[in-house]
Amino acid sequence: MTDNIVWHNAAVNHRERQLRNGHQPCLLWYTGLSGSGKSTIANAVDRLLFNLGCSTYLLDGDNVRHGLNNDLGFDDTSRVENIRRITEVSRLMLDAGLIVGTAFISPFIADRAKAKALAGNAFIEVFVDTPLAICEQRDPKGLYKKVRAGEIAHFTGISSPYEAPQKPDIHVNTVELSIEQAARQVLAYLRGQGIVANN
């Protein structure tokens, strides 16, 4: 970083935004295999929070790769850079006072640790725990079929590693829970932590 770049302090501060929004900002970091249900659950939580009057935004892996990260591939180096950029965008959204959801595989523990270090206490790791066999059975985008046909390389859980969280803040078992139940589990956690009011 050059010495000529200086952080600009905004006229509206973080605390003012938090008071206007009526809730604490936080970063809900959904992680899990492709097809685990991350985006579906994250969207369901986002809807619940929005209906409660919360200021939210959801960053989805595919959506971000249409624009901000469309120059990146899927090799390990590109995946690390993908998550680094998302972490920086999330930090700006936290500063705006939002409840930010990120639905990304984010396969590496080290990358998620960096996101946590940047977001601090606002970071909430949500492990969407779905066995590989069930993810492959669901295969909502047909990706596993392409992997097995040799059309896709560097696929998490098969040809590229996935490092599951050891102590996630929220552990969602999609084998036992419906989408609605999983979303309610996340909301209950936010209420329990005082991030969202109990009303």
Side-chain angles (χ1 to χ4, degrees), residues 6-166:
V6 179
W7 185 266
H8 176 76
N9 292 315
V12 180
N13 65 43
H14 179 75
R15 178 59 179 164
E16 287 177 298
R17 295 182 192 280
Q18 181 177 328
L19 290 172
R20 169 73 63 86
N21 290 333
H23 57 74
Q24 296 180 36
C26 71
L27 174 54
L28 288 164
W29 193 280
Y30 300 88
T31 178
L33 295 170
S34 177
S36 62
K38 298 181 300 300
S39 293
T40 305
I41 292 169
N43 269 288
V45 172
D46 202 50
R47 171 51 63 184
L48 289 175
L49 292 170
F50 184 83
N51 289 348
L52 290 172
C54 298
S55 296
T56 69
Y57 196 80
L58 177 59
L59 293 165
D60 179 80
D62 282 354
N63 291 355
V64 170
R65 280 184 177 272
H66 275 284
L68 176 66
N69 292 346
N70 67 2
D71 61 323
L72 299 176
F74 290 90
D75 58 281
D76 287 355
T77 300
S78 293
R79 288 172 183 233
V80 169
E81 175 60 14
N82 182 53
I83 297 306
R84 187 196 70 78
R85 294 182 192 180
I86 295 310
T87 300
E88 292 293 344
V89 170
S90 298
R91 181 173 69 160
L92 294 173
M93 290 186 167
L94 285 175
D95 192 51
L98 304 181
I99 294 178
V100 186
T102 65
F104 297 85
I105 294 172
S106 52
F108 305 122
I109 289 175
D111 294 336
R112 299 194 301 266
K114 289 176 184 176
K116 182 175 183 177
L118 205 60
N121 293 333
F123 184 90
I124 300 169
E125 188 174 49
V126 185
F127 179 28
V128 183
D129 189 2
T130 308
L132 176 61
I134 293 179
C135 291
E136 189 163 359
Q137 181 181 353
R138 293 175 180 170
D139 204 9
K141 302 173 187 175
L143 298 178
Y144 286 97
K145 184 177 180 180
K146 290 182 179 179
V147 171
R148 296 304 184 187
E151 297 175 23
I152 298 177
H154 307 294
F155 196 80
T156 304
I158 296 179
S159 54
S160 185
Y162 177 72
E163 299 170 359
Q166 301 301 307

Side-chain angles (χ1 to χ4, degrees), residues 23-24 26 28 49 52 54 99 121 124 169-170 183-199:
H23 57 74
Q24 296 180 36
C26 71
L28 288 164
L49 292 170
L52 290 172
C54 298
I99 294 178
N121 293 333
I124 300 169
D169 299 293
I170 306 172
R184 292 286 176 187
Q185 179 186 353
V186 175
L187 179 59
Y189 179 90
L190 296 178
R191 283 176 163 159
Q193 296 296 309
I195 295 170
V196 176
N198 286 293
N199 54 21

